Amino acid sequence: MRVVVQRVSEASVTVAGEVVGEIGHGLLLLVGITHEDGEKDVEFVSDKIAHLRIFEDGEGKMNHSVLETGGQILSVSQFTLYGDCRKGRRPNFMAAARPEQAEPLYELFNAKLREKGLQVETGRFGAMMDVRLVNDGPVTLIVESQA
C-alpha cells in the first residue's frame, strides 16, 4: 500500500462537475493499493497516518498529528501510484490491484481512519476526478506498508 500524504489548508474532489468531498485543514491522501496488500497493510498505514506528527506546535516544530489538531482527511483512490515508468514511455500498471480487490481495501482504510475519530471525506472510486488543494508548507510525504 502506498499513500501520498499532503498537509493542506483546504482540498476538494469533483466528479462530473459535482463536489463529492471537501475539507479544510487536514490531510489529502492519494491512496494506491497493490496485489499483495491486505488488512494488515491497511491497519499499519491508517495508524501511521493518523499519528504522523506533521503539524506544527507553538514553536513551529512538526510535533502534532492530524488527530491532535482536529484536522480532516480527504482520501482519494489513486491506482496510478503503482505505475512503473522504468521501461518505455507508457507507464505499466500491472502492480496496481484490480478494482475488485482494491475497492474493499480502500473502503476498509477509510473506515479505520474514521474508527480513530477522524472525519473522512472521499472521492469516488474508479471515477475521473478533479482534485484541488492548497498544500500547507508545502508538506508532502509517502507512507508505504511494505519495503
Side-chain angles (χ1 to χ4, degrees):
M1 192 168 181
R2 182 176 293 156
V3 180
V4 175
V5 178
Q6 295 180 297
R7 188 177 75 182
V8 298
S9 55
E10 61 184 66
S12 66
V13 63
T14 304
V15 176
E18 172 194 359
V19 175
V20 296
E22 187 172 29
I23 65 167
H25 158 83
L27 299 175
L28 170 65
L29 307 178
L30 303 176
V31 182
I33 297 169
T34 191
H35 303 291
E36 294 85 24
D37 290 337
E39 290 186 25
K40 285 185 178 182
D41 300 282
V42 167
E43 187 64 49
F44 174 83
V45 173
S46 64
D47 191 62
K48 176 68 78 174
I49 289 170
H51 295 96
L52 200 58
R53 297 182 337 175
I54 59 173
F55 291 90
E56 295 170 356
D57 62 15
E59 297 176 13
K61 293 185 180 183
M62 285 194 225
N63 235 355
H64 296 298
S65 70
V66 68
L67 280 169
E68 295 169 311
T69 62
Q72 304 167 302
I73 301 281
L74 178 57
S75 174
V76 178
S77 62
Q78 184 79 54
F79 81 94
T80 60
L81 288 175
Y82 279 101
D84 185 348
C85 300
R86 292 177 291 182
K87 294 183 182 175
R89 301 195 185 274
R90 184 186 330 228
N92 177 328
F93 297 107
M94 296 300 292
R98 305 252 333 128
E100 55 272 10
Q101 177 191 3
E103 187 171 12
L105 290 173
Y106 170 69
E107 295 299 336
L108 179 62
F109 172 72
N110 295 326
K112 292 289 185 185
L113 291 170
R114 288 182 183 109
E115 285 175 12
K116 295 173 189 342
L118 291 161
Q119 178 187 336
V120 179
E121 297 285 319
T122 66
R124 192 168 293 150
F125 188 91
M128 281 295 285
M129 295 176 273
D130 293 327
V131 179
R132 290 183 171 78
L133 69 134
V134 177
N135 194 319
D136 178 23
V139 174
T140 302
L141 302 165
I142 298 172
V143 175
E144 293 185 284
S145 61
Q146 302 176 29

